[in-house]
Amino acid sequence: MNSTTEKLAGATARANQSPAGADLVISGALKTFVTPEKVQLNAVDDVSFTINQGEFFVMLGPSGCGKTTLLRSIAGLETLDAGSITLGTQRIDNLAPHLRPVNTVFQSYALFPHLTVAQNIAFGLEMERKPKAEVAAIVDEMLALVRLTDLASRKPAQLSGGQQQRVALARALAKKPLVLLLDEPLAALDLKLRRGMQAELKRLQETTGITFVFVTHDQEEALSMGDRIAVFNSGKPVQIGTPEEIYEQPVNRFVADFIGESNFITAPVTEKSGKQTIQLAGGDVVELPHTVDAVNGEVTVAIRPERISLNVAGPKLATGTITNIVYMGTDLRCTVRLQDGTDVAVRVPPPFGVDLQQVGGTVSLTVETSSIRPMAPEGN
């Protein structure tokens, strides 16, 4: 076994010494703010869920949805007005931030510009007055873990954005937290670096076995890294599940609209023998995969653009006219206007048929029944 492999094995072994069943449990968490207009807002609104030990858990949602406030409450940077946060058997929401077995990585790397990479990583350990030999061993271990051994003597200004982010991660992991909190840490990176760091973060989490709690508003980050995702809106999670569950089985229109792209089509519904069917102009009778409450005799369904095919055999949803085509290399992004004026987005994979590259052409839209997601009325 070479020295780098030994260091990585050491990091994994130490991380796995976490107490058995050290799940992070949020119970009835409430955090209220008062606006300058004296309006009370529940930034975190009676939130309860469990993050499993060793899980890469993502809190996803738009700005102001409560995800960052909850993360800061776990870190001790905000104080809950009600509820509790427990890690394993230990309640931590009543502990000072420095006494909690968690560490935080922010969007701002907050590296000391006058210190080298190695010195930045060592800083927190030295503040705890750990023996020099132990500090040196941990620093070497972290440098190997984030693949920066050859850059140990450089200053932050001599590093790329992605390298600086890895230094910040190494510094946070050096203290062996039971939970690592990450507050939109990739937001400042360009697209290529961000995608590279997504893979790097996933590798680090799997190597160390530490619980990662990651906050983002970027759905691609959430889907590519999360073991489970909590989609937040108005101070609480509206759905928690695996990336596949969140994408394929959104519980309401908000989730379907926020994760990926969806077409929302409203149509008259017919109910018979416990089943519902819809029929659009120019289309076949299509049976819905499950029933929902109708509103004024109509239901709304969500369909992903990539699940719709043009001019192929199968259950015909409708016919329409192509009004726009955008060539994206990986696909053609078409807009099809149905006979009732509804615009439907369709992603056509290659090879691209000549007949699909003409704006103004009439096409049929087919979709498998399993790809149609009936939406429950708002408030249900």
Side-chain angles (χ1 to χ4, degrees):
M1 184 181 292
N2 60 40
S3 60
T4 299
T5 303
E6 289 173 347
K7 289 167 184 172
L8 293 176
T12 304
R14 272 184 283 275
N16 289 337
Q17 291 173 1
S18 303
D23 298 337
L24 184 65
V25 181
I26 293 97
S27 300
L30 176 70
K31 180 63 180 178
T32 299
F33 294 107
V34 178
T35 70
E37 295 76 26
K38 307 301 181 183
V39 177
Q40 180 174 301
L41 297 176
N42 290 343
V44 178
D45 189 5
D46 192 21
V47 171
S48 298
F49 61 86
T50 297
I51 298 172
N52 302 320
Q53 180 184 2
E55 184 174 39
F56 199 125
F57 190 88
V58 179
M59 296 194 291
L60 172 71
S63 297
C65 69
K67 60 189 187 298
T68 297
T69 301
L70 182 57
L71 188 88
R72 289 173 59 84
S73 299
I74 298 170
L77 304 177
E78 299 284 356
T79 302
L80 292 177
D81 297 319
S84 65
I85 301 173
T86 303
L87 183 58
T89 58
Q90 182 183 28
R91 182 170 175 176
I92 65 171
D93 60 282
N94 52 7
L95 298 177
H98 68 281
L99 297 177
R100 302 185 187 197
V102 305
N103 217 337
T104 307
V105 177
F106 297 99
Q107 180 177 335
S108 170
Y109 312 133
L111 302 178
F112 297 110
H114 61 289
L115 300 182
T116 65
V117 167
Q119 290 168 338
N120 267 283
I121 296 171
F123 183 82
L125 303 171
E126 291 172 344
M127 291 298 98
E128 294 180 346
R129 301 185 182 278
K130 291 189 178 295
K132 288 185 178 181
E134 182 181 351
V135 171
I138 294 175
V139 169
D140 286 346
E141 182 183 302
M142 292 300 108
L143 286 168
L145 186 67
V146 299
R147 301 172 180 173
L148 289 177
T149 299
D150 294 341
L151 304 181
S153 61
R154 290 194 183 180
K155 300 287 182 65
Q158 299 171 303
L159 304 176
S160 69
Q163 290 167 340
Q164 290 182 46
Q165 186 58 275
R166 281 189 277 162
V167 176
L169 286 165
R171 182 176 59 187
L173 291 169
K175 298 182 71 174
K176 303 298 189 295
L178 297 185
V179 178
L180 185 65
L181 308 173
L182 302 109
D183 187 10
E184 303 202 48
L186 309 184
L189 303 179
D190 62 37
L191 179 61
K192 188 173 182 179
L193 275 177
R194 191 161 66 247
R195 287 180 173 169
M197 281 303 301
Q198 289 169 13
E200 187 74 5
L201 278 172
K202 189 64 176 175
R203 179 188 70 84
L204 288 173
Q205 192 275 326
E206 291 174 346
T207 300
T208 62
I210 292 173
T211 302
F212 278 28
V213 182
F214 188 98
V215 160
T216 183
H217 62 269
D218 187 312
Q219 56 177 285
E220 181 184 299
E221 288 182 355
L223 292 171
S224 66
M225 294 186 292
D227 295 322
R228 283 193 304 152
I229 301 169
V231 183
F232 273 69
N233 188 35
S234 300
K236 63 177 63 179
V238 293
Q239 184 173 1
I240 299 176
T242 65
E244 184 177 0
E245 289 169 344
I246 295 290
Y247 190 85
E248 301 290 351
Q249 303 170 37
V251 296
N252 60 21
R253 181 165 181 155
F254 174 82
V255 177
D257 199 26
F258 192 79
I259 302 292
E261 184 182 1
S262 288
N263 294 295
F264 297 100
I265 301 172
T266 300
V269 63
T270 300
E271 300 192 32
K272 185 177 181 181
S273 301
K275 297 181 179 180
Q276 292 179 323
T277 60
I278 59 173
Q279 185 173 20
L280 300 175
D284 300 328
V285 175
V286 177
E287 183 178 314
L288 301 183
H290 64 266
T291 62
V292 294
D293 293 336
V295 177
N296 297 323
E298 295 182 326
V299 297
T300 298
V301 298
I303 308 174
R304 301 290 187 186
E306 69 273 14
R307 304 297 165 82
I308 301 174
S309 299
L310 300 182
N311 292 347
V312 301
K316 185 164 64 172
L317 180 70
T319 58
T321 303
I322 297 178
T323 60
N324 188 47
I325 298 174
V326 178
Y327 175 78
M328 298 298 293
T330 55
D331 56 33
L332 289 180
R333 302 197 178 178
C334 304
T335 302
V336 178
R337 182 157 295 165
L338 306 185
Q339 293 181 29
D340 66 356
T342 300
D343 285 336
V344 175
V346 182
R347 292 186 182 179
V348 180
F352 309 126
V354 174
D355 60 324
L356 298 183
Q357 300 184 37
Q358 302 297 320
V359 171
T362 299
V363 291
S364 63
L365 288 72
T366 61
V367 60
E368 294 298 325
T369 300
S370 59
S371 296
I372 301 174
R373 186 72 181 174
M375 295 283 99
E378 293 297 321
N380 284 18

